Amino acid sequence: EDSTFIQAERQGPVAIVRLDRPKALNALCDQLTRELSAVLDAVEADDSAGAVVLTGSEKAFAAGADIKEMQPKGFSDVFLEDFITSSWERAATLRKPIIAAVSGYALGGGAELAMMCDFIIAAESAKFGQPEISIGVLPGAGGTQRLARSAGKAKAMDMVLTGRTIDAWEAERIGLAARVVPTDSLMQAATEAATKIAGFSRPAVLMAKESVNRAFETPLAEGLRFERRMFHAAFATEGQSEGMAAFLDKRDAEYTHR
Ligand code: HXC
């Protein structure tokens, strides 16, 4: 079905999902987030898709939740609809890898959406911030938690309490962005990374992603135990025997993704 504010295309095994609401700098209105969630559902269900690149425009990844939609809401409105968990968090629950390719503004909910992805590749033009404090609220889609975990308390407090925007290089320095690339090669870099990931044995990729995510949810001993069990489980996949045989034969592996 057609989306108004999302464009989805395929490049081989990579699904490229583009936020496309240019008149509002990709502000995450209710319709956009519902469409995004539906598109990600479809990618998750599609066996031929191995990884996702989530991006916006050159000017804005997303300038945040839609302030026009939020302004009239009261407590009961946001509480009863559980604003925003329903649709936005699909990016965070996706089992397939998802890379945020960020150019321009990633503010408020836009930064939070980027942080829900597995990692962020930032164009030199990228600007990250949590400006919610300046409009009378606070981050509500994981900003205080994910920023504190990736960048640490000092930077999280600085950004969340002052609303200060940081550039791509600072984002990389503090552990928010994985890489910074020239703005005009952002999509090439992100698509290349996603293509590489999609080419690996899919069960191993999903186990690796799940294992890294465990690091944020459990004590070290539990996380290590989880990783070990996943590692053992990988030996039940076709990818393990094929990947190791291909290495020994000095040839490229041909994965069935089973
Ligand atoms: C609704 C938005 C918007 C937003 C921009 N627009 N951001 N509309 N919600 N978050 C609209 C503007 O109203 C304007 O529409 C058009 O996009 C272009 O924006 P301008 O402000 O004219 O562009 P510019 O001068 O280049 O400034 C860019 C900007 C600024 C610095 C990014 O737009 C800005 O500060 N935006 C708000 C950023 C923000 O506070 N985000 C956090 C939101 S709270 P018109 O019709 O006037 O042309 C949040 C909470 C999430 O995200 C918590 C989870 C629930």
Side-chain angles (χ1 to χ4, degrees), residues 23-25 27 59 63-67 83-84 108-109 112 131-132 135 140:
K23 282 188 186 139
L25 301 179
K59 176 144 196 226
D66 191 305
I67 300 171
F83 184 70
I84 52 71
E112 292 172 305
E132 289 92 340
I135 54 169

Side-chain angles (χ1 to χ4, degrees), residues 9 13 22 29-30 52 54 60 64 138 149 151-152 163 166 193 204 207-208 215 243 258:
E9 60 175 88
C29 61
D30 185 54
V52 184
L54 178 63
L138 66 156
R149 279 172 163 80
I166 63 172
M207 288 177 194
R258 307 303 296 173

Side-chain angles (χ1 to χ4, degrees), residues 66-110:
D66 191 305
I67 300 171
K68 205 182 275 181
E69 274 184 4
M70 284 189 294
Q71 197 280 333
K73 288 182 195 283
F75 170 77
S76 287
D77 301 315
V78 295
F79 178 70
L80 293 174
E81 72 181 76
D82 205 11
F83 184 70
I84 52 71
T85 51
S86 41
S87 51
W88 291 43
E89 293 205 311
R90 191 65 186 93
T93 60
L94 203 71
R95 297 180 72 218
K96 290 176 181 173
I98 177 167
I99 300 171
V102 175
S103 178
Y105 295 110
L107 300 179

Side-chain angles (χ1 to χ4, degrees), residues 131-171:
E132 289 92 340
I133 199 73
S134 69
I135 54 169
V137 291
L138 66 156
T144 66
Q145 301 305 296
R146 291 197 174 93
L147 195 56
R149 279 172 163 80
S150 59
K153 177 177 172 178
K155 289 291 181 180
M157 286 293 191
D158 180 0
M159 290 177 68
V160 168
L161 295 180
T162 70
R164 179 168 76 88
T165 294
I166 63 172
D167 67 17
W169 295 107
E170 185 170 1

Side-chain angles (χ1 to χ4, degrees), residues 191-212:
T191 307
E192 257 174 42
T195 302
K196 181 151 204 180
I197 292 167
F200 296 135
S201 176
R202 190 165 312 150
V205 167
L206 267 57
M207 288 177 194
K209 167 171 171 163
E210 195 176 346
S211 294
V212 174

Side-chain angles (χ1 to χ4, degrees), residues 211-225:
S211 294
V212 174
N213 279 332
R214 271 294 158 119
F216 300 102
E217 290 166 4
T218 55
L220 179 62
E222 274 311 312
L224 290 171
R225 209 166 1 248

